């Protein structure tokens, strides 16, 4: 399935640094041609804490991972794939709303790049005109001294092959080539995303999800629509009321309102 390396140009790190501007010093960015999974690489060998935010970008992943044990499929140049290792201050509560905050940062970055109709599918897909454009995989490293470290993996579809078959995407998939006509340089995209992610994660780390909730709700793909939640335990059907202060999904069912926490669950529109 993977074409030989070399079809995708080497990254222009100087352009990336220039696009990040004054924020460049906050990051340590490593861009490799290939690895198994950028999330796995950071989880297996987390870089030491030098005060910077460590980012690993891979031009190609040989074993990219998605949520719920799925694969993140690879075609040359098809997607931008990277992970960010973020260290929260000690005492930070369990990051229930973290992937929602990351989705919001991604949505804002894409909107600034000119994308319309960006919505968020709880807990962590970014949609364009209802089809999946980007996925987020948040994983947490074992705590040390009460401080939490998260590895935040992002895959953004750039140019999917016409015959790409991606299982499990009810609303379909899309890519930036379709949504924007022209795909910005990967360095431009990465800088735009990191520039939104950095203040977003700082805000999340100090005040949690509560203050971000309204902005998330404005982009909720399933607001006031009937949904079915499946995964852990029994399935649940009801009306999507939005999210609470912690980022849990609120679903109104005949027997009452349920709070669904982002575990191994998936949400789709009810038929
Ligand atoms: C999903 O939609 O299920 C989440 C997909 C997350 C994919 C990204 S690509 C970069 C990082 N490394 C991985 O192995 N997965 C995430």
């Amino acid at each position: 399935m993977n074409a030989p390396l070399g079809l995708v140009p080497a990254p222009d790190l100087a352009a990336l640094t220039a696009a990040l501007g004054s924020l460049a010093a906050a990051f340590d960015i490593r861009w490799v041609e290939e690895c198994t999974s950028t999330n796995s690489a950071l989880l297996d060998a987390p870089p030491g804490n030098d005060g910077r935010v460590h980012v690993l970008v891979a031009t190609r992943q040989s074993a990219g991972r998605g949520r719920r044990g799925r694969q993140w499929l690879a075609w040359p140049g098809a997607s931008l794939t990277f992970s960010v290792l973020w260290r929260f201050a000690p005492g930070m509560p369990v990051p229930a709303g973290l992937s929602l905050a990351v989705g919001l940062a991604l949505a804002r970055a894409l909107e600034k790049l000119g994308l319309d109709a960006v919505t968020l599918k709880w807990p962590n897909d970014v949609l364009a005109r209802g089809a999946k454009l980007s996925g987020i995989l948040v994983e947490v490293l074992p705590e040390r001294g009460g401080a939490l470290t998260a590895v935040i993996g992002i895959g953004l579809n750039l140019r999917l092959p016409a015959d790409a078959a991606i299982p499990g995407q009810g609303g379909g998939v899309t890519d930036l080539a379709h949504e924007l006509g022209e795909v910005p340089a990967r360095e431009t995209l990465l800088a735009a995303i990191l520039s939104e992610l950095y203040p977003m994660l700082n805000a999340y780390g100090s005040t949690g999800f509560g203050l971000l909730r309204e902005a998330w709700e404005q982009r909720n793909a399933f607001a006031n629509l009937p949904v079915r939640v499946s995964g852990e335990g029994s399935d649940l059907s009801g009306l999507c009321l939005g999210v609470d202060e912690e980022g849990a999904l609120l679903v109104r069912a005949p027997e009452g309102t349920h709070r669904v926490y982002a575990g191994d669950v998936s949400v789709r529109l009810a038929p």
Side-chain angles (χ1 to χ4, degrees):
M1 187 189 300
N2 292 322
L5 286 176
L7 295 180
V8 183
D12 183 342
L13 298 179
L16 175 60
T17 305
L20 280 167
S22 58
L23 214 50
F27 291 101
D28 171 50
I29 302 176
R30 205 155 63 86
W31 195 315
V32 298
E33 220 169 44
E34 180 168 357
C35 73
T36 52
S37 145
T38 53
N39 262 42
S40 302
L42 287 181
L43 288 167
D44 293 347
N49 188 359
D50 60 5
R52 292 181 297 171
V53 179
H54 297 270
V55 180
L56 179 62
V57 195
T59 296
R60 190 171 65 181
Q61 297 182 120
S62 56
R65 297 185 289 110
R67 287 185 67 237
R68 313 192 75 210
R70 293 204 177 106
Q71 279 178 286
W72 180 267
L73 295 169
W75 296 270
S79 56
L80 175 67
T81 50
F82 65 98
S83 302
V84 175
L85 185 127
W86 188 272
R87 294 182 161 93
F88 288 99
M92 168 77 194
V94 175
L98 179 55
S99 67
L100 281 72
V102 174
L104 184 55
L106 254 172
R108 285 181 172 165
L110 293 167
E111 286 161 0
K112 283 190 178 162
L113 289 163
L115 215 72
D116 287 331
V118 180
T119 54
L120 296 166
K121 176 175 166 244
W122 187 93
N124 50 9
D125 283 350
V126 179
L127 313 182
R129 294 180 300 118
K132 179 162 172 171
L133 177 64
S134 176
I136 298 161
L137 178 66
V138 174
E139 298 178 292
V140 172
L141 273 165
E143 282 185 43
R144 266 203 218 146
L148 192 109
T149 300
V151 172
I152 298 161
I154 294 177
L156 171 64
N157 295 332
L158 304 181
R159 288 178 205 87
L160 295 174
D163 58 351
I166 301 182
Q169 301 306 327
V173 289
T174 188
D175 58 23
L176 280 186
H178 276 90
E179 300 306 324
L180 285 177
E182 201 170 309
V183 181
R186 292 169 301 162
E187 297 81 357
T188 308
L189 288 169
L190 182 61
I193 296 169
L194 293 178
S195 300
E196 292 295 326
L197 202 54
Y198 187 80
M200 179 67 72
L201 292 175
N202 273 321
Y204 182 85
S206 53
T207 52
F209 181 69
L211 295 180
L212 308 170
R213 176 182 172 187
E214 198 182 319
W216 195 94
E217 297 269 21
Q218 284 165 5
R219 295 168 177 83
N220 181 4
F222 292 166
N224 297 314
L225 291 173
V227 291
R228 175 173 297 167
V229 183
S230 52
E232 294 169 346
S234 57
D235 287 4
L236 164 69
S237 293
L239 199 68
C240 175
L241 298 181
V243 290
D244 72 5
E245 296 285 308
E246 293 180 346
L249 186 72
L250 300 172
V251 178
R252 192 170 72 212
E255 66 280 6
T257 297
H258 296 256
R259 283 189 152 68
V260 185
Y261 288 90
D264 208 11
V265 295
S266 79
V267 182
R268 46 194 72 245
L269 280 178

